[in-house]
Amino acid sequence: MPAQPRLLRESRLCIVGLGLMGGSLALALQGRAAALSAGDSDEAVCSTALQRGIVAQASPDLVLAAQADIVILATPVQTIIRLLAELGGRLKPGTMLMDLGSVKTPIVEAMDRLPDTLQAIGGHPMCGKATAGLAHADPDLFQHAAFVLCATRRTSDACLSLATEIVSALGARAVEMDGARHDAIVATVSGLPYCLSAALAYTAGLRAQDEPAVWSLAASGFRDTSRLAGTDPTVMADILLSNAPAILADVAMAQAVLSELASLVRAGDHEPLRLYLRQVQAYRHAWENESALP
Amino acid sequence: MPAQPRLLRESRLCIVGLGLMGGSLALALQGRAAALSAGDSDEAVCSTALQRGIVAQASPDLVLAAQADIVILATPVQTIIRLLAELGGRLKPGTMLMDLGSVKTPIVEAMDRLPDTLQAIGGHPMCGKATAGLAHADPDLFQHAAFVLCATRRTSDACLSLATEIVSALGARAVEMDGARHDAIVATVSGLPYCLSAALAYTAGLRAQDEPAVWSLAASGFRDTSRLAGTDPTVMADILLSNAPAILADVAMAQAVLSELASLVRAGDHEPLRLYLRQVQAYRHAWENESALP
């Protein structure tokens, strides 16, 4: 087996999937790798990426991935799992595979099954936008974000080291944990917010059928709480189904909290309700104190 | 009865309650009235308002309100209702009363009971911030906001005209409707978003007790969806209890939506879930298309 590059600047890097995440990754890694290429099943996306100089080469198939030293999968989760099965036999020995999928257990399992001539590590940058697609790609998307890395049976020390270098090059900070722990946390901080945001938009939509002024009177509170409801439905269906047990557990817990809150409102006593809402506010402040976000 | 001023610039205006809303109102109306005064039970707030030149006179009691031509109540809802009962016998004949309370039915009822020598109209500007207090007051808070006006038994044409002039001076747009309609809409666009945001913060807080990384991995999606959970608990308890029937109906509907969404996730089929989430996204886009907000 030939010696493989162990530094990003010596590596030919191929990004598979040029949506918001893959496109932002390509923009953020400009000039950091020996060569930057991309695969995207949509030929129009490949053309745009070449025209804008986002990558040096682009192809609607996996030919460029087969030539790369590092392949980063930036497609929806179910596609990542399918691609891992497909790419196993096609990549050069020593190639490093990484992904940006928002669910890790099934991806780590699929990486565990790769030929032992390959290296692989799960990745999930904790950032995003409600807008999808290459047109919204942003080189600063990863700045200051937590970037979870999940080791697999195919993660050597050199692979972990190279993944950490990529995370640093993006301006993010690496956080190592196993897939199950990642998935439980992400259900709470990402899946549940989406589900509650969706419940708000859907309920308001039902109300608006009889009362159109619902839309014109909804202001900044509605805007922020319902922002995630604008997320691409195909991507979200993929995420919810890939992490279903953890998300269902969190939705059930949020339903119990809502029922408790409703009981306090129904009871009509100010002080017990105020104390409950003070705890709500304290939890929100606990996040603000821990967060690096503005 | 002496002739009462019918224009804002001829009127002595007193704002009762110098929190975020009252303070922002005072800043937005600088130089627009013949005189600007305030009442706030907190003497320190009165001192700050005088030192910063936000009002020309301030007092911890209702003496300045008794001298004014227009009195605007900018306190929590339950205090507004108490003040209306108190002020009835203390204001000059012809004085116009308005409020900024976020629930209208009980306030309109209290205004209906005022002596017929007074004028009164319910008001609710559809804007706000998660931060409370005079320190966060902002003269641009009302710019482009919808400002609901609810006529009462004490609303003459002249009173409505003066209220509309005040709304215009704030840079807001007046929307007339009755109190019951206002309260149903506000439950959907403001009470429900708060309750869902609270359920998110509370659930994440419970999860964080066993898994502290919940806070450090929560990013912009969590930030926006949980923003309203940071609202002052005393103010929110007041709002939820004052509009309880409408809010409980909306929470129940959102619970049913969440259960339906959970059923689709549990069933595990991508296409029905994607179609449901596409409707979620369509409702969010319907709001975006109607809204004047960025």
Side-chain angles (χ1 to χ4, degrees), chain A residues 126 173 181 189 194 201 203 205 207 209 211 214-220 223-230 233-234 250 253-255 259 262 274 277 281 283-284 287 293-294, chain B residues 126 173 181 189 194 201 203 205 207 209 211 214-220 223-230 233-234 248 250 253-255 259 274 277 281 283-284 287 293-294:
Chain A
M126 302 298 294
R173 63 190 160 86
R181 189 175 164 210
V189 303
Y194 172 79
T203 305
R207 291 293 193 208
Q209 289 172 7
E211 174 54 91
V214 158
W215 294 142
S216 55
L217 292 192
S220 58
R223 176 192 62 202
D224 291 355
T225 319
S226 69
R227 183 176 70 81
L228 292 179
T234 305
D250 275 343
M253 190 183 266
Q255 293 254 43
S259 296
R274 189 185 69 80
L277 302 186
Q281 188 188 39
Y283 283 139
R284 163 72 190 191
W287 170 74
L293 285 181
Chain B
M126 302 299 294
R173 63 190 160 86
R181 189 175 163 210
V189 304
Y194 172 79
T203 305
R207 291 293 193 208
Q209 290 172 7
E211 175 54 272
V214 159
W215 294 141
S216 56
L217 292 192
S220 59
R223 176 191 61 202
D224 291 356
T225 319
S226 69
R227 183 176 70 80
L228 291 179
T234 305
L248 288 170
D250 276 344
M253 191 184 264
Q255 295 248 45
S259 297
R274 189 184 69 81
L277 303 186
Q281 189 189 40
Y283 284 139
R284 162 73 189 190
W287 170 75
L293 285 181

Coordinates of all heavy atoms in Angstrom, one line a residue, chain A residues 126 173 181 189 194 201 203 205 207 209 211 214-220 223-230 233-234 250 253-255 259 262 274 277 281 283-284 287 293-294, chain B residues 126 173 181 189 194 201 203 205 207 209 211 214-220 223-230 233-234 248 250 253-255 259 274 277 281 283-284 287 293-294:
Chain A
M126 N -22.2 21.6 14.0 CA -23.4 22.0 14.6 C -23.7 23.4 14.1 O -23.7 24.4 14.9 CB -23.3 22.0 16.1 CG -23.0 20.6 16.7 SD -24.2 19.4 16.3 CE -25.6 20.1 17.3
R173 N -14.6 24.0 16.2 CA -13.9 23.3 17.3 C -14.4 21.9 17.4 O -15.5 21.6 17.4 CB -14.1 24.0 18.6 CG -15.5 24.1 19.1 CD -15.6 25.0 20.3 NE -17.0 25.3 20.5 CZ -18.0 24.6 21.1 NH1 -17.6 23.5 21.7 NH2 -19.2 24.9 21.2
R181 N -24.3 8.9 21.8 CA -24.4 10.1 22.6 C -24.7 11.4 21.7 O -25.5 12.2 22.1 CB -23.1 10.3 23.4 CG -23.1 11.4 24.4 CD -21.8 11.5 25.2 NE -21.8 12.8 25.9 CZ -20.7 13.4 26.2 NH1 -19.5 13.0 25.9 NH2 -20.8 14.6 26.9
V189 N -31.3 19.2 20.8 CA -31.0 20.6 20.4 C -31.3 21.0 19.0 O -31.2 22.1 18.6 CB -29.5 20.9 20.7 CG1 -29.1 20.6 22.1 CG2 -28.6 20.1 19.7
Y194 N -37.0 21.7 15.8 CA -37.7 21.6 14.5 C -39.1 21.2 14.7 O -40.0 21.8 14.2 CB -37.0 20.7 13.5 CG -37.8 20.5 12.3 CD1 -37.9 21.5 11.3 CD2 -38.7 19.4 12.1 CE1 -38.7 21.4 10.2 CE2 -39.6 19.3 11.1 CZ -39.6 20.3 10.1 OH -40.4 20.2 9.0
A201 N -46.0 26.4 13.2 CA -46.4 26.8 11.8 C -47.7 26.1 11.4 O -48.6 26.7 10.8 CB -45.2 26.5 10.9
T203 N -50.1 24.7 13.3 CA -51.3 25.2 14.1 C -51.7 26.6 13.6 O -52.9 26.8 13.4 CB -50.9 25.3 15.6 OG1 -50.5 24.0 16.0 CG2 -52.1 25.7 16.4
G205 N -51.2 27.8 10.7 CA -51.7 27.6 9.3 C -53.2 27.1 9.4 O -54.0 27.6 8.6
R207 N -55.3 27.8 11.9 CA -56.0 28.9 12.4 C -56.2 30.0 11.3 O -57.3 30.6 11.3 CB -55.3 29.6 13.6 CG -55.2 28.8 14.9 CD -56.6 28.6 15.5 NE -56.6 28.1 16.8 CZ -57.5 27.4 17.4 NH1 -58.6 27.1 16.7 NH2 -57.4 27.0 18.6
Q209 N -56.7 29.6 8.3 CA -57.8 29.2 7.3 C -59.1 30.0 7.7 O -59.9 30.4 6.8 CB -58.0 27.7 7.3 CG -56.8 27.0 6.7 CD -56.9 25.5 6.8 OE1 -57.9 24.9 7.3 NE2 -55.9 24.8 6.4
E211 N -59.0 32.7 9.9 CA -58.7 34.0 10.4 C -57.4 34.5 9.7 O -56.3 34.3 10.3 CB -58.5 34.0 11.9 CG -58.1 35.3 12.6 CD -58.9 36.5 12.2 OE1 -59.9 36.8 13.0 OE2 -58.6 37.1 11.2
V214 N -54.2 36.2 11.2 CA -53.1 35.5 11.9 C -51.8 35.8 11.3 O -50.8 36.1 12.0 CB -53.4 34.0 11.9 CG1 -52.2 33.2 12.2 CG2 -54.5 33.7 13.0
W215 N -51.7 35.8 10.0 CA -50.4 36.0 9.3 C -50.0 37.5 9.5 O -48.8 37.7 9.7 CB -50.5 35.6 7.9 CG -50.7 34.2 7.5 CD1 -51.4 33.7 6.5 CD2 -50.1 33.0 8.2 NE1 -51.4 32.3 6.5 CE2 -50.6 31.9 7.5 CE3 -49.3 32.9 9.3 CZ2 -50.2 30.6 7.9 CZ3 -48.9 31.6 9.7 CH2 -49.4 30.4 9.0
S216 N -50.9 38.4 9.3 CA -50.4 39.8 9.3 C -50.1 40.3 10.7 O -49.3 41.3 10.8 CB -51.5 40.7 8.6 OG -52.7 40.6 9.2
L217 N -50.7 39.7 11.7 CA -50.3 40.2 13.1 C -49.1 39.4 13.7 O -48.6 39.8 14.7 CB -51.6 40.1 14.0 CG -52.7 41.0 13.7 CD1 -53.7 41.0 14.8 CD2 -52.2 42.4 13.4
A218 N -48.7 38.3 13.1 CA -47.6 37.5 13.6 C -46.3 38.4 13.4 O -46.0 38.8 12.3 CB -47.5 36.2 12.9
A219 N -45.6 38.5 14.5 CA -44.4 39.4 14.5 C -43.1 38.6 14.8 O -43.0 37.5 14.5 CB -44.6 40.6 15.4
S220 N -42.2 39.3 15.5 CA -40.8 38.7 15.6 C -40.8 37.5 16.5 O -40.0 36.6 16.2 CB -39.9 39.8 16.2 OG -40.3 40.3 17.4
R223 N -41.9 34.8 14.2 CA -40.8 34.6 13.2 C -39.7 33.7 13.7 O -39.3 32.8 13.0 CB -40.2 36.0 12.8 CG -39.1 35.9 11.8 CD -38.3 37.2 11.7 NE -37.7 37.6 13.0 CZ -37.4 38.8 13.3 NH1 -37.6 39.8 12.4 NH2 -36.9 39.1 14.5
D224 N -39.2 34.0 14.9 CA -38.1 33.3 15.4 C -38.5 31.9 15.8 O -37.7 30.9 15.5 CB -37.4 34.0 16.6 CG -36.8 35.3 16.2 OD1 -36.7 35.6 15.0 OD2 -36.3 36.0 17.1
T225 N -39.6 31.7 16.4 CA -40.0 30.4 16.9 C -40.4 29.5 15.7 O -40.2 28.3 15.8 CB -41.2 30.5 17.9 OG1 -41.0 31.6 18.8 CG2 -41.3 29.3 18.7
S226 N -40.8 30.0 14.6 CA -41.2 29.2 13.5 C -40.2 29.2 12.4 O -40.4 28.6 11.3 CB -42.5 29.7 12.9 OG -42.3 31.0 12.2
R227 N -39.0 29.7 12.6 CA -38.0 29.8 11.6 C -37.6 28.4 11.1 O -37.6 28.2 9.8 CB -36.7 30.5 12.1 CG -35.6 30.6 11.0 CD -34.4 31.4 11.4 NE -33.6 30.7 12.4 CZ -32.7 29.8 12.1 NH1 -32.5 29.4 10.8 NH2 -32.0 29.2 13.0
L228 N -37.4 27.4 12.0 CA -37.0 26.1 11.5 C -38.0 25.4 10.7 O -37.7 24.5 9.9 CB -36.6 25.2 12.7 CG -35.3 25.7 13.5 CD1 -35.1 24.7 14.7 CD2 -34.1 25.6 12.6
A229 N -39.3 25.8 10.8 CA -40.4 25.2 10.0 C -40.1 25.4 8.5 O -40.7 24.7 7.7 CB -41.7 25.7 10.4
G230 N -39.3 26.4 8.2 CA -39.0 26.6 6.8 C -37.9 25.7 6.2 O -37.6 25.8 5.0
P233 N -38.2 20.1 3.5 CA -38.9 18.9 4.1 C -38.3 17.6 3.8 O -38.3 16.6 4.6 CB -40.3 19.0 3.4 CG -40.2 20.0 2.4 CD -39.0 20.9 2.6
T234 N -37.6 17.5 2.6 CA -36.9 16.2 2.3 C -35.7 15.9 3.3 O -35.6 14.8 3.8 CB -36.4 16.2 0.8 OG1 -37.5 16.5 0.0 CG2 -35.8 14.9 0.4
D250 N -37.8 12.7 23.0 CA -37.8 14.1 23.3 C -39.2 14.8 23.0 O -39.6 15.7 23.8 CB -36.7 14.9 22.6 CG -35.4 14.7 23.3 OD1 -35.4 14.4 24.5 OD2 -34.3 15.0 22.7
M253 N -41.4 13.9 25.9 CA -41.0 14.7 27.1 C -41.5 16.2 26.9 O -42.1 16.7 27.9 CB -39.5 14.7 27.3 CG -39.1 15.3 28.6 SD -37.3 15.4 28.9 CE -37.0 13.8 29.7
A254 N -41.4 16.8 25.8 CA -41.9 18.1 25.5 C -43.4 18.2 25.6 O -44.0 19.1 26.1 CB -41.4 18.6 24.2
Q255 N -44.1 17.1 25.2 CA -45.6 17.0 25.3 C -46.0 17.0 26.8 O -46.9 17.7 27.2 CB -46.1 15.7 24.6 CG -45.9 15.7 23.1 CD -47.3 15.9 22.4 OE1 -48.0 16.8 22.8 NE2 -47.5 15.2 21.4
S259 N -48.2 19.8 28.7 CA -49.4 19.5 29.5 C -49.3 20.0 30.9 O -50.3 20.5 31.5 CB -49.5 17.9 29.6 OG -49.7 17.4 28.3
A262 N -49.9 23.7 30.6 CA -51.4 24.0 30.4 C -52.2 23.8 31.7 O -53.1 24.6 32.0 CB -51.9 23.0 29.3
R274 N -45.9 31.4 37.7 CA -44.7 32.3 37.6 C -43.4 31.5 38.0 O -42.4 31.7 37.3 CB -44.8 33.5 38.5 CG -43.8 34.6 38.3 CD -43.9 35.7 39.3 NE -43.6 35.3 40.7 CZ -42.3 35.1 41.2 NH1 -41.3 35.4 40.4 NH2 -42.1 34.7 42.4
L277 N -42.4 29.3 35.1 CA -41.9 30.1 34.0 C -40.5 30.6 34.4 O -39.7 30.9 33.5 CB -42.8 31.2 33.6 CG -44.2 30.7 33.2 CD1 -45.0 31.9 32.7 CD2 -44.2 29.6 32.1
Q281 N -37.1 30.2 32.2 CA -36.2 31.3 31.9 C -34.8 30.9 32.3 O -33.8 31.2 31.6 CB -36.7 32.6 32.5 CG -35.9 33.8 32.1 CD -36.2 35.1 33.0 OE1 -36.4 35.0 34.2 NE2 -36.3 36.2 32.3
Y283 N -33.5 28.0 32.5 CA -32.9 27.0 31.6 C -32.4 27.7 30.3 O -31.3 27.4 29.8 CB -33.9 25.9 31.2 CG -34.1 24.9 32.3 CD1 -35.4 24.4 32.6 CD2 -33.0 24.3 33.0 CE1 -35.6 23.4 33.5 CE2 -33.2 23.3 34.0 CZ -34.5 22.9 34.2 OH -34.7 21.9 35.2
R284 N -33.2 28.7 29.8 CA -32.7 29.4 28.7 C -31.5 30.2 29.0 O -30.5 30.3 28.2 CB -33.8 30.4 28.2 CG -33.5 31.5 27.3 CD -33.1 31.1 25.9 NE -32.5 32.3 25.2 CZ -32.3 32.3 23.9 NH1 -32.6 31.3 23.1 NH2 -31.8 33.4 23.3
W287 N -28.4 28.0 28.9 CA -27.8 27.9 27.6 C -27.0 29.1 27.2 O -25.9 29.0 26.7 CB -28.9 27.6 26.6 CG -28.3 27.7 25.2 CD1 -27.5 26.7 24.6 CD2 -28.4 28.7 24.3 NE1 -27.1 27.2 23.4 CE2 -27.7 28.4 23.1 CE3 -29.1 30.0 24.3 CZ2 -27.5 29.2 22.0 CZ3 -29.0 30.8 23.2 CH2 -28.2 30.4 22.1
L293 N -22.5 31.4 20.9 CA -23.2 32.1 19.9 C -23.6 33.5 20.4 O -23.8 33.7 21.5 CB -24.5 31.4 19.6 CG -24.4 30.1 18.7 CD1 -25.8 29.5 18.5 CD2 -23.7 30.4 17.4
P294 N -23.8 34.5 19.4 CA -24.3 35.8 19.8 C -25.8 35.7 20.2 O -26.5 34.8 19.8 CB -24.2 36.6 18.5 CG -24.1 35.6 17.4 CD -23.6 34.3 18.0
Chain B
M126 N -48.0 45.1 18.1 CA -47.5 43.7 17.9 C -46.0 43.8 17.7 O -45.5 43.5 16.6 CB -48.2 43.1 16.7 CG -49.7 43.1 16.8 SD -50.3 42.1 18.2 CE -49.8 40.5 17.7
R173 N -48.8 50.7 12.2 CA -50.0 50.8 11.4 C -51.2 50.3 12.2 O -51.1 49.3 12.8 CB -49.9 50.1 10.1 CG -49.7 48.6 10.2 CD -49.3 47.9 8.9 NE -48.7 46.6 9.2 CZ -49.3 45.5 9.4 NH1 -50.7 45.5 9.3 NH2 -48.7 44.4 9.8
R181 N -61.6 38.9 19.0 CA -60.9 38.5 17.8 C -59.4 38.7 18.1 O -58.6 37.9 17.7 CB -61.4 39.3 16.6 CG -60.9 38.8 15.3 CD -61.5 39.6 14.1 NE -60.6 39.3 13.0 CZ -60.5 40.1 12.0 NH1 -61.1 41.3 11.9 NH2 -59.7 39.8 11.0
V189 N -50.3 33.7 17.7 CA -49.1 34.3 17.1 C -48.1 34.7 18.2 O -47.0 35.0 17.9 CB -49.4 35.5 16.2 CG1 -50.3 35.1 15.1 CG2 -49.9 36.7 16.9
Y194 N -44.7 31.3 22.7 CA -44.0 31.3 24.0 C -44.1 29.9 24.6 O -43.1 29.4 25.1 CB -44.6 32.4 24.9 CG -44.0 32.2 26.3 CD1 -42.8 32.7 26.6 CD2 -44.7 31.5 27.3 CE1 -42.2 32.5 27.9 CE2 -44.1 31.2 28.5 CZ -42.9 31.7 28.8 OH -42.3 31.5 30.0
A201 N -37.1 24.9 26.1 CA -36.1 25.2 27.1 C -36.2 24.3 28.3 O -35.2 23.8 28.8 CB -36.3 26.7 27.5
T203 N -37.5 21.2 28.4 CA -37.1 19.8 28.1 C -35.6 19.7 28.0 O -34.9 18.8 28.5 CB -37.7 19.4 26.7 OG1 -39.2 19.5 26.8 CG2 -37.4 17.9 26.4
G205 N -33.5 21.6 29.4 CA -33.0 21.8 30.8 C -33.0 20.4 31.6 O -32.0 20.1 32.3
R207 N -32.9 17.4 30.1 CA -31.9 16.6 29.5 C -30.5 17.0 29.9 O -29.6 16.2 30.1 CB -32.0 16.7 28.0 CG -33.2 16.1 27.3 CD -33.2 14.6 27.5 NE -34.2 14.0 26.7 CZ -34.8 12.8 27.0 NH1 -34.5 12.2 28.1 NH2 -35.7 12.3 26.2
Q209 N -29.5 18.0 32.7 CA -29.1 17.5 34.0 C -28.2 16.2 33.9 O -27.3 16.0 34.7 CB -30.3 17.3 34.8 CG -31.0 18.6 35.2 CD -32.4 18.4 35.9 OE1 -32.8 17.3 36.2 NE2 -33.1 19.5 36.1
E211 N -26.8 15.3 30.8 CA -25.9 15.4 29.7 C -25.6 16.9 29.5 O -26.2 17.6 28.7 CB -26.6 14.9 28.4 CG -25.9 15.0 27.1 CD -24.4 14.5 27.2 OE1 -23.5 15.3 27.5 OE2 -24.2 13.3 26.8
V214 N -25.5 19.1 26.2 CA -26.7 19.6 25.5 C -26.5 21.1 25.3 O -26.8 21.7 24.2 CB -28.0 19.3 26.4 CG1 -29.1 20.3 26.0 CG2 -28.4 17.9 26.1
W215 N -26.1 21.9 26.3 CA -25.9 23.3 26.2 C -24.8 23.7 25.2 O -25.0 24.6 24.4 CB -25.7 24.0 27.5 CG -26.7 23.9 28.6 CD1 -26.6 23.7 29.9 CD2 -28.2 24.0 28.4 NE1 -27.8 23.7 30.6 CE2 -28.8 23.9 29.7 CE3 -29.0 24.2 27.3 CZ2 -30.2 23.9 29.8 CZ3 -30.4 24.3 27.5 CH2 -30.9 24.2 28.7
S216 N -23.7 23.0 25.3 CA -22.6 23.5 24.4 C -22.8 23.1 23.0 O -22.2 23.7 22.1 CB -21.2 22.9 25.0 OG -21.3 21.6 25.0
L217 N -23.6 22.1 22.7 CA -23.8 21.8 21.3 C -25.1 22.5 20.7 O -25.3 22.4 19.5 CB -24.0 20.2 21.1 CG -22.7 19.4 21.3 CD1 -22.9 18.0 20.9 CD2 -21.5 20.0 20.7
A218 N -25.9 23.1 21.5 CA -27.1 23.8 21.0 C -26.6 25.0 20.2 O -25.9 25.8 20.7 CB -28.0 24.1 22.1
A219 N -27.1 25.2 19.0 CA -26.6 26.2 18.1 C -27.8 27.1 17.7 O -28.7 27.4 18.5 CB -25.9 25.7 16.9
S220 N -27.7 27.7 16.5 CA -28.7 28.8 16.1 C -30.1 28.3 16.1 O -31.0 29.1 16.3 CB -28.2 29.4 14.8 OG -28.2 28.4 13.8
R223 N -31.2 28.4 19.5 CA -31.2 29.8 20.0 C -32.5 30.4 19.6 O -33.2 31.0 20.4 CB -30.1 30.5 19.4 CG -30.1 32.0 19.7 CD -29.1 32.8 18.9 NE -29.4 32.7 17.5 CZ -28.5 32.9 16.5 NH1 -27.3 33.2 16.8 NH2 -28.9 32.8 15.3
D224 N -32.9 30.3 18.3 CA -34.1 31.1 17.8 C -35.4 30.5 18.4 O -36.3 31.2 18.8 CB -34.1 31.1 16.3 CG -33.0 31.9 15.7 OD1 -32.3 32.6 16.5 OD2 -32.8 31.9 14.5
T225 N -35.4 29.1 18.4 CA -36.7 28.5 18.8 C -36.9 28.7 20.3 O -38.1 28.7 20.8 CB -36.7 27.0 18.5 OG1 -36.1 26.8 17.2 CG2 -38.1 26.4 18.5
S226 N -35.9 28.9 21.1 CA -36.0 29.0 22.6 C -35.9 30.5 23.0 O -36.0 30.8 24.2 CB -35.0 28.2 23.3 OG -33.7 28.7 23.1
R227 N -35.8 31.4 22.1 CA -35.6 32.8 22.4 C -36.7 33.3 23.4 O -36.4 34.0 24.4 CB -35.5 33.7 21.2 CG -35.3 35.2 21.6 CD -35.1 36.1 20.3 NE -36.3 36.3 19.6 CZ -37.3 37.2 19.9 NH1 -37.2 37.9 21.0 NH2 -38.3 37.3 19.1
L228 N -38.0 33.1 23.0 CA -39.1 33.6 23.8 C -39.1 33.0 25.3 O -39.7 33.6 26.2 CB -40.4 33.3 23.2 CG -40.7 34.0 21.9 CD1 -42.1 33.6 21.3 CD2 -40.7 35.6 22.1
A229 N -38.4 31.9 25.5 CA -38.4 31.3 26.8 C -37.6 32.2 27.8 O -37.8 32.1 29.0 CB -37.7 29.9 26.8
G230 N -36.9 33.1 27.3 CA -36.2 34.1 28.1 C -37.0 35.3 28.6 O -36.6 36.1 29.3
P233 N -40.8 36.1 33.5 CA -41.9 35.1 33.9 C -43.1 35.8 34.5 O -44.2 35.3 34.4 CB -41.1 34.3 35.0 CG -39.8 34.9 35.2 CD -39.5 35.8 34.1
T234 N -42.9 37.0 35.2 CA -44.1 37.7 35.8 C -45.0 38.2 34.7 O -46.2 38.0 34.7 CB -43.6 38.8 36.7 OG1 -42.7 38.3 37.6 CG2 -44.7 39.5 37.4
L248 N -55.1 28.0 25.9 CA -55.3 26.5 26.1 C -55.8 25.8 24.9 O -55.4 24.7 24.6 CB -56.2 26.3 27.3 CG -55.6 26.7 28.7 CD1 -56.7 26.7 29.8 CD2 -54.5 25.7 29.0
D250 N -55.2 26.7 21.8 CA -54.1 26.6 20.8 C -53.0 25.6 21.2 O -52.5 24.9 20.4 CB -53.5 28.0 20.6 CG -54.2 28.8 19.5 OD1 -55.0 28.2 18.8 OD2 -54.0 30.0 19.5
M253 N -54.3 22.3 20.3 CA -54.2 22.0 18.9 C -52.8 21.7 18.5 O -52.5 20.8 17.7 CB -54.7 23.2 18.1 CG -54.9 22.9 16.6 SD -55.4 24.4 15.7 CE -57.2 24.2 15.6
A254 N -51.8 22.4 19.1 CA -50.4 22.1 18.8 C -50.0 20.8 19.3 O -49.2 20.1 18.7 CB -49.5 23.2 19.4
Q255 N -50.6 20.4 20.5 CA -50.3 19.0 21.0 C -50.8 17.9 20.0 O -50.1 16.9 19.8 CB -51.0 18.8 22.3 CG -50.5 19.7 23.5 CD -49.8 18.9 24.5 OE1 -49.0 18.1 24.2 NE2 -50.1 19.2 25.8
S259 N -48.6 15.2 18.1 CA -48.9 13.8 18.1 C -48.9 13.2 16.7 O -48.5 12.1 16.4 CB -50.2 13.5 18.8 OG -50.1 14.0 20.2
R274 N -42.6 13.4 4.5 CA -42.2 14.5 3.7 C -43.3 15.4 3.3 O -43.2 16.6 3.3 CB -41.4 14.0 2.5 CG -40.7 15.1 1.7 CD -40.1 14.5 0.4 NE -41.1 14.1 -0.6 CZ -41.7 15.0 -1.4 NH1 -41.5 16.3 -1.4 NH2 -42.6 14.5 -2.2
L277 N -44.4 17.6 6.2 CA -43.4 18.6 6.4 C -43.4 19.7 5.3 O -43.1 20.8 5.6 CB -42.0 18.0 6.6 CG -41.9 17.0 7.7 CD1 -40.4 16.6 7.9 CD2 -42.4 17.5 9.0
Q281 N -43.8 23.6 5.9 CA -43.0 24.7 5.2 C -43.9 25.6 4.4 O -43.6 26.9 4.4 CB -42.0 24.0 4.2 CG -41.0 24.9 3.7 CD -40.1 24.3 2.5 OE1 -40.7 23.5 1.7 NE2 -38.9 24.5 2.5
Y283 N -46.9 26.6 5.2 CA -47.5 27.5 6.2 C -46.5 28.6 6.6 O -46.8 29.8 6.7 CB -48.0 26.8 7.4 CG -49.3 26.0 7.2 CD1 -49.5 24.7 7.7 CD2 -50.4 26.6 6.4 CE1 -50.7 24.1 7.5 CE2 -51.6 25.9 6.2 CZ -51.8 24.7 6.8 OH -52.9 24.0 6.6
R284 N -45.3 28.2 6.8 CA -44.2 29.2 7.2 C -44.0 30.2 6.0 O -43.9 31.4 6.3 CB -42.9 28.4 7.6 CG -41.7 29.3 7.6 CD -41.5 30.3 8.7 NE -40.4 31.1 8.5 CZ -39.9 32.0 9.3 NH1 -40.4 32.1 10.5 NH2 -38.9 32.7 9.0
W287 N -46.7 32.8 5.9 CA -46.5 33.9 6.8 C -45.4 34.8 6.2 O -45.6 36.1 6.2 CB -46.0 33.4 8.2 CG -45.5 34.6 9.0 CD1 -46.3 35.5 9.6 CD2 -44.2 35.0 9.2 NE1 -45.6 36.5 10.2 CE2 -44.3 36.2 10.0 CE3 -43.0 34.5 8.9 CZ2 -43.1 36.9 10.4 CZ3 -41.8 35.2 9.3 CH2 -41.9 36.4 10.0
L293 N -42.1 41.9 8.1 CA -40.8 41.8 8.9 C -39.7 41.3 8.0 O -39.9 40.5 7.0 CB -41.0 40.8 10.0 CG -41.8 41.3 11.2 CD1 -41.9 40.2 12.2 CD2 -41.2 42.5 11.8
P294 N -38.5 41.6 8.4 CA -37.3 41.0 7.6 C -37.1 39.5 8.0 O -37.6 39.1 9.1 CB -36.1 41.8 8.2 CG -36.6 42.4 9.5 CD -38.0 42.5 9.4

